[in-house]
Amino acid sequence: MESSPKVKRTTKPRDGKGGQNLPRSQKDAYARLLNQHQNGKFRSYLQEFAKQQAQTEENASSSNDANRRIKANSESSYCSDSLPSQQSRQMADTSNCVNVDKMAYQVTCTEDRDMKPDVLEKHAKTELHKAAVPKKLPSKQQQKRSEKDMKASTSLVGSKEGDGQQLSGSCGEEQAKKKSKKKRSKGNLDKKPKEACGPEVEAIAAGYTPNKKAPQTQVSKESLRQSEKDKWNKGGRGLRKQLFEQYMSTEDVSAGLKRGQLIQGVLRINPKKYKEAFVPSPDGSADIFLDGIPARNRALNGDVVVVKVLPPEQWKAINGDVNESSAANQNTSKGRNVIVEAHFNEDNEVISKMENVSLHDKAPAEHVNASNTPGPSSEKAVQRTGKVVFIVEQKHSRAASGFLKFLPDKNFAMFSPVDHRVPRVNVPLADCPADFITRPGDYENTLFICRITHWPADNNFAEGRLAKTLGQAGEIEPETEGMLAEYDVDFSEFSDEVLGCLPQDLPWSIPARELSRRRDLRKECIFTIDPSTARDLDDALSCKQLSDGNFEVGVHIADVSYFVEEANALDQIASRRATSVYLVQKVIPMLPRLLCEELCSLNPLTDRLTFSVIWKLSPEGKILSEWFGRSVICSCIKLSYDHAQSMIEAPEKSFHAEELPPCSPHHSIPEIQEAVLNLHNIAKQLRAQRFEGGALRLDQLKLSFTLDKESSMPQGCYVYQYRDSNKLVEEFMLLANMAVAHQIYRSYPELALLRRHPPPQSKMVDDLQEFCDQMGLDIDFSSSGALHRTLHQNLGNDEYTAARKEVLTNMCSRPMQMAVYFCTGALKDEKLFHHYALNVPLYTHFTSPIRRYADVIVHRLLAASLNCGPRLGLSGEDVHKQASHCNDRKTASKRVQELSSELFFGIFVKECGPLDSEAMVMGVLDQSFDVLVLRYGVQKRIYCNALEGLKTFHFRKVGKRPEMTLVWRTDDPRKDPIQQEISIFTLLNVQLKADGAPMKYSAVLKRPSDNTHS
C-alpha cells in the first residue's frame, strides 16, 4: 500500500446518504451549512431567515405549514437547535446522519469569533438560497416529507462523531447505493427503509425504536402525539427519537443466556478508536465486535454486559486476522508482570495491532466464509458483531475528569471528558462556577469532575452533575485527583467511627494475654527487605542453619486481622477499598496510617504481632516439614533491596555498621549477612525448580522516578532493575502463598479464597504461533514452561538481546488472561483452580495484608483452620462477592498506578526534554508503527503522516509479517530519496518531545541521515 505522508481529510457521511440527488455545488453548500450549524451566531441567523421563509410559505399553504412547525423540532442532540423550516427539513432528509469532524467536537456550540455578523447573515442567506430550496415541492408532498423527517432519520449535528459519540448506523457502501436509488424515486418518499443490514441496526441508524416500522400512511396530529408522547423532551425542545434500544427484561436475558442465544462478558472499549468495542467470547475464539456507539447501548468501559450476536450478514469483513482488532484492544498494561500472576489490563492501548485490519466494511452475506488472508480457517475472513441488550453491572464509576464548554442560550453547560470513551455530559448551569456564564474563557484550562446520573435513550449525550473543581490541567495534584475519581479510588480521610476501631491508648504495646497465646520469636534473627522508601513493612524473613545441615526458614507476615475485627467499621472501609493504591508521589492506603505505618508495620527493634509459616528445608530447597501459626517477632534490621544486593554481590565483604541501617545489639552484622546469603542460595534452588516444573515469567520494564522533596516534581527517571535481592524475597513469598493455599483449602473446601490464572486465549495463541513461525522465531506456546524456556533462546547474544526479549515478551503477553481471586465453592471443577503462570494447582495471597484485603480474609481462614482465631462469620456468598470486588479494585489500582507514571513522565519530558533514545519496533500497522523506547522503557506509536520530511511510505505483509518502507526527502533535491525499512525488532533513533496538550508527549523518528540504525 502507498500513502502520502500528508493526506487532506474530507468528511464523508457515514451512512452514505448525504446529498444523494444534488449537484456537487449544492452538496458543498449543505456541508458548509451543516458544519456551521453548531455556531451560535450563525444558527440564530438561520433561524431568523427560516422564520421569514416560513411566513412567506404560510400564505400559500397555512394548514400544511402548521403541521410542519409542530413536527420540525426533532433534533437528536442537546447541543444544536432544530431549524423550524422547510429548508431544515430538506437538509435532514437529504443528509440523515452527518459525520462531524473531530475538530467540530473541539469547538462544539461556541461562537465563530472569526466571522463578523454581517458576513454571517449574508453567508446564511446565500447558502440557503443556493442549497436549501433547490426545488419547491407541491404542498401535499411537503406534508409527507415533513412526516418522514420526524419518523425517519435526524441530522445529528453537534453529536460527538469526532470522539466516538456520533451514531453512525452505516450499513456500508452497498446499502448506501440502495438508499441513493431509493431517494431518486418520488414515489418512494414514504416507504420504510430497506433492511439489508438487519432491522435493529437500520432502526438505530434511522432513529427508530427497535423493531418499530415506519408508518405507511399519513397519521393525524392527535394520534402522533399519543403514540410519541413518551419521547417528548421535558425541556420543551420537541420530539426526540429513540437512539438506543430499550434493554431486555431480566427474564428474557436469563432465558437467552441459558439457551446460549446471548453472551455475557466485560465490555472493553478501544481507547484510541472509541467507536470500537469488544466483548470476549466464552469459547476462547475471537472477541465479539461492537461497532459504534449504538451497539454499546450506553454501557461504559468495564461494565458487565449481555450481548446479542447479530446475523452473519452483519458481521465484519476483516482484512487480516479476526484477533488482530481485539489484540490491539487488549491494552496490556505497561507494568504487566506474569511472575506470579500474568497481570493483564484493558485500559491502555500502548500495544497495537501487528497487522493491518479493516473493520469498516460489512461482510457481504453471500461471502461470509470467504478468506482475505492465507490460511485454512474461515474465521479469518469475518468477525462476529453484536449489540448490548442488557447491563448486568455498571463497573465503570460513571465519573470523569474533563472540561466545561459554555453553550449560549442554554440552561446547561457541556462537559467534555478527557477520556473519549465516556460520553459528553449536559450539566446544569447551577453546578458551574458563579462567574462561568459571564467569563467562560477563564475556565478553558480548568479540570472538573463530573458524575453521570442518567443517559436517556433518545440522546447522544448523558446527563450529570459537576462534583468538584480540580484545578488547572497539567498540574500534578489536579490531574492525580481526576484519575482517582475516575477509577473510584476512595482517598478521603478515615472517619472518626473508623479511627475509633483502633487502639486508643498510645503508645500501644502487646497485651500479656496475647503474648501467651503466640509463638515467641523475638530472639530470632528476623529482618525485612523492602524498597528503601517503604513504610508499610508487612513481611519479614528468617533463616538459621540447623545442626543436621538443613535450614529453618521463616516467612513472618503482619497480623492485620488481629486489629481489623470482622464486620466493624474499620473492616467495612477496608473491604470497600480492597487495596492500597501506589502513585508515584504518594500512597492511598487501604488502612489508616496508624496501622499501615506503625502498629502493623514490622518496623525494626519493635515487638510486632505476626502470622508465620516456618519450614525445615534442605539446602536444595526440599520441604522437610512445615508449621503455621500466630507469633510475635522483633525485627533486628530494616534492609533495603540495595543492602541485600550488596551482600549477595560481595559475599566475602565485611560490612561496617555505618554502611547499614541501625541494627539490634542482639544480632551481629555477619549473622545477618550469613542469613541473607543462605536465603539467596535456597531461593536460587527454589526458582530453578519452579521453572523446570513449568512456571512462566513475563516481565516488562517499569519506570521509576526521583522526585524533588519539596515540589514532588520529577527530577529524573530510570528503568527499575529486578535483581537477585528481589528474586530472593519473591521466592519465599510464593512458597508461603502456596503453602497457605493448600492449608485453607484442606480445611474449607467450599469457602477458601484462592487465586487462579486461566490459560491464554487459544485462538490468539494460534495466531501468534503462526506469526512467530513466519518471523523465524522458534517460540513454543504449548505450555507455560515451554513458552518461558523458548523466550530465553534464539534472541541473539548482543547488547540488544534484552530489548528483543522485551518486544517478544510484549507480544506473548497479549493472549494472556488476568489472574483472579475466587471462592472455591463457586467453581465445581478443581482443574479450574490451576494457576497457569506458576503452573501450580492451588495459589492464594497471604503475604500483604496491610495493602490487600484478600489477604486479610485469607488470614482469617488460616486462623480458623488452626483454631487460633475467632469463629468465622463468612459465608460462601460473602467470599465470592468480596473476591469479585477485590478483582475490580486491583484492576483499577493498577490502572491508576500506570496513569500516575505516565503523568510524571509527561511532565519530565516537558521539563527536561527533548529526550533522545534508541528504540526498537514492536509492531507495524498500515499507517503507523509502535516502538519501545529503550532508555526509558515507554512505548509510543509513531504515525507516518506526522513525520516531517517523509515523502511517502509503503506497507506490505509477507505472510503474517508486517513490513513498511519509509521514503524520505533529501536536503539536496538532486539526490535520490532515502529509503528506510521498518519491521519487528528494527532499531531506530527517536526523540521524545512535549506536545501542546498538558503532559502529552510524542515520539519523533529521526531522519535516516541522523540515524545510525536505519
Side-chain angles (χ1 to χ4, degrees):
M1 127 176 213
E2 181 173 344
S3 175
S4 172
K6 293 185 179 180
V7 180
K8 185 174 180 181
R9 296 182 179 180
T10 57
T11 303
K12 297 181 181 180
R14 282 180 60 87
D15 55 4
K17 300 176 188 177
Q20 291 168 346
N21 291 322
L22 298 177
R24 182 179 181 85
S25 61
Q26 293 183 6
K27 289 183 183 178
D28 293 342
Y30 280 126
R32 286 194 297 273
L33 276 173
L34 292 169
N35 281 333
Q36 297 189 45
H37 184 225
Q38 294 171 295
N39 179 279
K41 291 182 178 180
F42 187 69
R43 185 167 61 245
S44 65
Y45 283 111
L46 286 177
Q47 291 173 337
E48 184 62 28
F49 186 81
K51 289 180 181 178
Q52 297 175 5
Q53 291 292 108
Q55 186 65 35
T56 303
E57 293 180 3
E58 187 176 20
N59 297 332
S61 54
S62 59
S63 61
N64 289 343
D65 186 65
N67 281 338
R68 287 194 299 272
R69 283 196 298 272
I70 290 174
K71 300 170 184 176
N73 195 9
S74 60
E75 197 72 55
S76 292
S77 168
Y78 278 3
C79 186
S80 54
D81 296 331
S82 298
L83 295 179
S85 64
Q86 177 66 26
Q87 288 85 350
S88 69
R89 288 189 297 278
Q90 289 174 348
M91 288 163 60
D93 187 60
T94 306
S95 181
N96 289 335
C97 187
V98 178
N99 182 17
V100 182
D101 186 74
K102 176 81 175 180
M103 290 304 297
Y105 154 64
Q106 302 281 353
V107 295
T108 302
C109 301
T110 56
E111 294 184 355
D112 188 344
R113 297 184 179 88
D114 298 328
M115 190 172 285
K116 297 180 180 180
D118 56 337
V119 179
L120 274 170
E121 182 173 10
K122 182 177 180 181
H123 184 64
K125 292 181 179 181
T126 303
E127 296 296 350
L128 282 170
H129 279 297
K130 287 170 62 180
V133 200
K135 181 177 179 181
K136 189 169 182 179
L137 299 172
S139 177
K140 186 174 181 179
Q141 199 167 0
Q142 287 176 358
Q143 187 171 358
K144 290 184 178 180
R145 176 72 64 90
S146 175
E147 291 173 3
K148 181 178 178 65
D149 290 341
M150 182 195 64
K151 289 194 173 65
S153 62
T154 182
S155 181
L156 299 179
V157 179
S159 68
K160 199 173 177 183
E161 164 66 27
D163 53 2
Q165 300 303 323
Q166 168 95 16
L167 298 181
S168 64
S170 173
C171 290
E173 187 177 349
E174 187 67 28
Q175 183 67 9
K177 291 178 181 178
K178 294 181 181 180
K179 291 288 181 180
S180 180
K181 292 179 182 178
K182 177 181 167 184
K183 284 282 183 179
R184 295 192 185 103
S185 174
K186 286 184 179 181
N188 286 342
L189 284 174
D190 292 323
K191 291 183 180 179
K192 64 181 180 181
K194 292 185 182 290
E195 298 179 354
C197 289
E200 293 85 3
V201 173
E202 192 64 26
I204 295 174
Y208 295 116
T209 301
N211 302 324
K212 184 173 181 179
K213 295 183 179 180
Q216 295 285 344
T217 57
Q218 182 175 326
V219 294
S220 67
K221 187 163 46 178
E222 290 77 11
S223 63
L224 174 67
R225 285 175 179 165
Q226 181 64 30
S227 63
E228 298 285 340
K229 66 179 181 179
D230 61 331
K231 295 185 184 178
W232 280 91
N233 182 277
K234 294 180 181 179
R237 285 184 288 275
L239 291 175
R240 307 297 292 255
K241 290 184 173 58
Q242 194 85 0
L243 304 180
F244 300 101
E245 292 191 21
Q246 295 297 326
Y247 296 125
M248 293 176 64
S249 68
T250 53
E251 293 82 4
D252 291 342
V253 167
S254 179
L257 289 171
K258 288 180 181 178
R259 291 194 296 264
Q261 297 171 340
L262 302 176
I263 293 173
Q264 180 174 317
V266 176
L267 179 70
R268 303 193 321 273
I269 303 176
N270 190 330
K272 295 211 173 185
K273 295 183 179 179
Y274 21 76
K275 284 186 277 189
E276 298 180 359
F278 303 86
V279 171
S281 179
D283 60 4
S285 60
D287 292 341
I288 297 161
F289 179 59
L290 278 65
D291 188 7
I293 311 304
R296 297 209 292 266
N297 201 0
R298 294 162 286 169
L300 299 184
N301 189 65
D303 286 353
V304 180
V305 298
V306 174
V307 169
K308 180 180 180 181
V309 177
L310 297 176
E313 60 268 17
Q314 295 183 43
W315 294 357
K316 286 292 179 181
I318 306 295
N319 185 22
D321 289 345
V322 290
N323 278 316
E324 291 170 12
S325 56
S326 51
N329 188 247
Q330 295 289 354
N331 308 322
T332 44
S333 65
K334 292 182 182 178
R336 181 179 60 249
N337 194 358
V338 186
I339 356 179
V340 205
E341 318 289 4
H343 292 307
F344 182 84
N345 193 283
E346 294 144 15
D347 296 304
N348 183 18
E349 195 192 31
V350 295
I351 313 305
S352 67
K353 293 174 276 189
M354 293 183 293
E355 306 173 41
N356 180 27
V357 180
S358 174
L359 290 173
H360 301 289
D361 301 317
K362 282 286 179 184
E366 63 272 21
H367 297 299
V368 167
N369 293 322
S371 177
N372 293 326
T373 58
S377 173
S378 61
E379 266 192 287
K380 293 184 179 180
V382 293
Q383 183 170 18
R384 290 183 297 171
T385 58
K387 60 181 180 180
V388 172
V389 295
F390 191 76
I391 300 178
V392 178
E393 186 176 359
Q394 291 185 347
K395 295 281 190 179
H396 191 282
S397 66
R398 265 57 184 175
S401 61
F403 302 92
L404 278 182
K405 295 180 183 293
F406 177 68
L407 306 179
D409 304 322
K410 300 290 184 183
N411 61 354
F412 54 84
M414 177 65 66
F415 175 81
S416 297
V418 174
D419 184 352
H420 292 163
R421 295 173 296 180
V422 180
R424 287 188 288 178
V425 186
N426 296 323
V427 297
L429 285 176
D431 287 358
C432 302
D435 58 345
F436 175 72
I437 298 176
T438 56
R439 303 176 62 86
D442 291 354
Y443 297 92
E444 287 182 352
N445 198 43
T446 301
L447 273 177
F448 295 87
I449 287 290
C450 177
R451 295 192 180 276
I452 294 174
T453 56
H454 178 53
W455 192 348
D458 61 357
N459 205 318
N460 283 325
F461 303 152
E463 298 170 2
R465 303 297 300 269
L466 283 187
K468 190 174 183 180
T469 304
L470 296 177
Q472 292 299 297
E475 296 181 0
I476 290 176
E477 287 309 311
E479 295 282 354
T480 298
E481 190 171 338
M483 295 173 196
L484 297 173
E486 286 183 42
Y487 285 88
D488 203 21
V489 175
D490 182 359
F491 57 96
S492 62
E493 295 296 327
F494 291 97
S495 68
D496 291 340
E497 182 185 10
V498 170
L499 297 177
C501 299
L502 303 176
Q504 301 300 304
D505 297 330
L506 301 176
W508 178 83
S509 61
I510 302 173
R513 185 180 177 188
E514 187 63 32
L515 274 175
S516 66
R517 297 173 176 174
R518 294 174 178 258
R519 182 170 173 175
D520 193 342
L521 302 173
R522 288 177 290 179
K523 294 182 179 180
E524 300 293 332
C525 180
I526 298 175
F527 47 87
T528 60
I529 305 177
D530 288 281
S532 58
T533 56
R535 294 181 179 179
D536 50 350
L537 313 180
D538 48 16
D539 59 84
L541 294 166
S542 63
C543 180
K544 67 179 179 181
Q545 190 164 14
L546 304 175
S547 58
D548 60 1
N550 295 314
F551 294 89
E552 182 180 272
V553 175
V555 170
H556 315 278
I557 306 300
D559 192 355
V560 175
S561 61
Y562 172 83
F563 296 95
V564 183
E565 296 180 8
E566 192 172 344
N568 69 5
L570 176 59
D571 185 47
Q572 290 171 0
I573 189 66
S575 68
R576 285 201 299 271
R577 294 194 176 195
T579 181
S580 295
V581 180
Y582 291 83
L583 308 173
V584 170
Q585 79 278 30
K586 60 183 176 182
V587 178
I588 310 298
M590 180 182 78
L591 297 169
R593 295 193 184 278
L594 178 62
L595 287 185
C596 287
E597 299 177 8
E598 295 184 45
L599 302 186
C600 289
S601 184
L602 306 183
N603 298 327
L605 312 178
T606 309
D607 292 353
R608 286 290 178 256
L609 299 178
T610 52
F611 228 134
S612 297
V613 185
I614 299 176
W615 302 274
K616 183 177 179 180
L617 298 176
S618 70
E620 295 75 32
K622 182 179 179 181
I623 298 176
L624 304 176
S625 66
E626 186 174 67
W627 179 87
F628 302 93
R630 287 187 133 145
S631 56
V632 56
I633 70 166
C634 181
S635 172
C636 63
I637 192 170
K638 177 190 175 184
L639 295 176
S640 69
Y641 283 117
D642 290 334
H643 294 136
Q645 188 66 30
S646 298
M647 293 178 179
I648 293 170
E649 292 177 353
E652 304 300 327
K653 179 180 177 180
S654 296
F655 287 84
H656 300 290
E658 58 269 18
E659 296 180 80
L660 297 173
C663 179
S664 167
H666 303 293
H667 300 283
S668 66
I669 292 176
E671 181 185 4
I672 295 169
Q673 184 179 9
E674 183 182 4
V676 170
L677 292 175
N678 286 333
L679 286 171
H680 169 61
N681 290 329
I682 297 172
K684 287 195 298 183
Q685 298 290 335
L686 292 172
R687 187 177 181 84
Q689 291 169 22
R690 278 202 308 113
F691 289 117
E692 287 172 7
L696 165 68
R697 184 184 178 98
L698 296 178
D699 275 334
Q700 290 195 321
L701 302 180
K702 178 184 177 182
L703 195 60
S704 295
F705 298 88
T706 54
L707 305 179
D708 182 90
K709 291 183 178 180
E710 294 182 0
S711 66
S712 292
M713 291 288 284
Q715 292 181 317
C717 64
Y718 57 94
V719 175
Y720 185 79
Q721 297 296 314
Y722 185 76
R723 298 175 296 177
D724 286 340
S725 55
N726 302 84
K727 296 174 184 177
L728 180 160
V729 174
E730 177 190 11
E731 285 307 316
F732 290 105
M733 296 305 112
L734 289 174
L735 194 64
N737 285 335
M738 289 186 281
V740 170
H742 283 273
Q743 170 66 21
I744 63 175
Y745 182 55
R746 279 195 302 267
S747 302
Y748 299 103
E750 297 294 319
L751 203 61
L753 176 64
L754 301 183
R755 189 161 174 83
R756 68 189 184 95
H757 181 210
Q761 301 178 49
S762 57
K763 183 63 174 68
M764 294 186 70
V765 169
D766 293 342
D767 289 342
L768 186 55
Q769 178 75 75
E770 187 178 351
F771 173 79
C772 289
D773 291 344
Q774 295 198 15
M775 288 285 294
L777 300 171
D778 185 17
I779 306 299
D780 186 352
F781 292 90
S782 60
S783 67
S784 55
L787 177 56
H788 180 87
R789 185 174 59 257
T790 54
L791 273 176
H792 293 77
Q793 300 172 353
N794 305 321
L795 290 177
N797 187 22
D798 55 39
E799 59 180 318
Y800 298 107
T801 298
R804 284 191 287 270
K805 181 183 173 184
E806 177 67 24
V807 170
L808 195 54
T809 296
N810 193 282
M811 292 181 187
C812 295
S813 297
R814 296 177 187 176
M816 295 297 167
Q817 301 194 64
M818 294 178 67
V820 292
Y821 299 111
F822 71 102
C823 177
T824 51
L827 291 178
K828 300 305 179 185
D829 187 356
E830 196 171 309
K831 292 179 181 178
L832 297 176
F833 297 2
H834 186 262
H835 197 291
Y836 172 81
L838 291 174
N839 195 29
V840 294
L842 299 176
Y843 187 72
T844 193
H845 275 169
F846 160 75
T847 54
S848 297
I850 290 179
R851 62 184 178 91
R852 290 190 306 231
Y853 188 75
D855 301 51
V856 176
I857 295 179
V858 169
H859 276 229
R860 290 173 181 161
L861 289 164
L862 181 60
S865 75
L866 301 171
N867 296 314
C868 62
R871 185 177 179 180
L872 274 179
L874 291 169
S875 67
E877 184 64 22
D878 293 336
V879 176
H880 175 68
K881 288 181 178 178
Q882 189 62 49
S884 176
H885 181 65
C886 287
N887 291 330
D888 295 338
R889 299 321 305 156
K890 185 175 179 67
T891 299
S893 169
K894 187 166 177 58
R895 182 58 186 142
V896 169
Q897 182 178 338
E898 292 167 353
L899 289 173
S900 178
S901 181
E902 291 174 12
L903 165 65
F904 273 78
F905 189 67
I907 293 175
F908 179 73
V909 173
K910 179 181 178 182
E911 297 296 323
C912 304
L915 307 174
D916 294 332
S917 174
E918 286 185 307
M920 184 170 282
V921 176
M922 305 177 66
V924 182
L925 287 78
D926 57 342
Q927 299 185 56
S928 61
F929 50 94
D930 291 335
V931 297
L932 172 67
V933 183
L934 301 182
R935 184 177 176 186
Y936 301 104
V938 298
Q939 301 159 2
K940 292 297 290 183
R941 177 167 294 178
I942 297 177
Y943 295 91
C944 296
N945 285 339
L947 292 176
E948 187 176 349
L950 189 68
K951 181 178 181 181
T952 187
F953 59 91
H954 310 275
F955 173 83
R956 62 192 175 278
K957 284 205 298 185
V958 181
K960 283 185 171 292
R961 177 172 180 164
E963 297 177 348
M964 181 180 287
T965 301
L966 304 181
V967 182
W968 296 87
R969 297 185 183 92
T970 58
D971 294 333
D972 186 349
R974 294 170 297 179
K975 294 184 178 179
D976 292 335
I978 301 173
Q979 291 194 1
Q980 184 177 21
E981 299 299 326
I982 304 291
S983 61
I984 307 294
F985 301 134
T986 298
L987 271 171
L988 306 169
N989 276 355
V990 300
Q991 187 174 76
L992 302 180
K993 295 173 122 180
D995 290 342
M999 288 159 315
K1000 300 295 183 183
Y1001 68 96
S1002 57
V1004 179
L1005 177 63
K1006 290 189 175 182
R1007 295 181 57 170
S1009 56
D1010 303 321
N1011 195 335
T1012 58
H1013 298 285
S1014 59

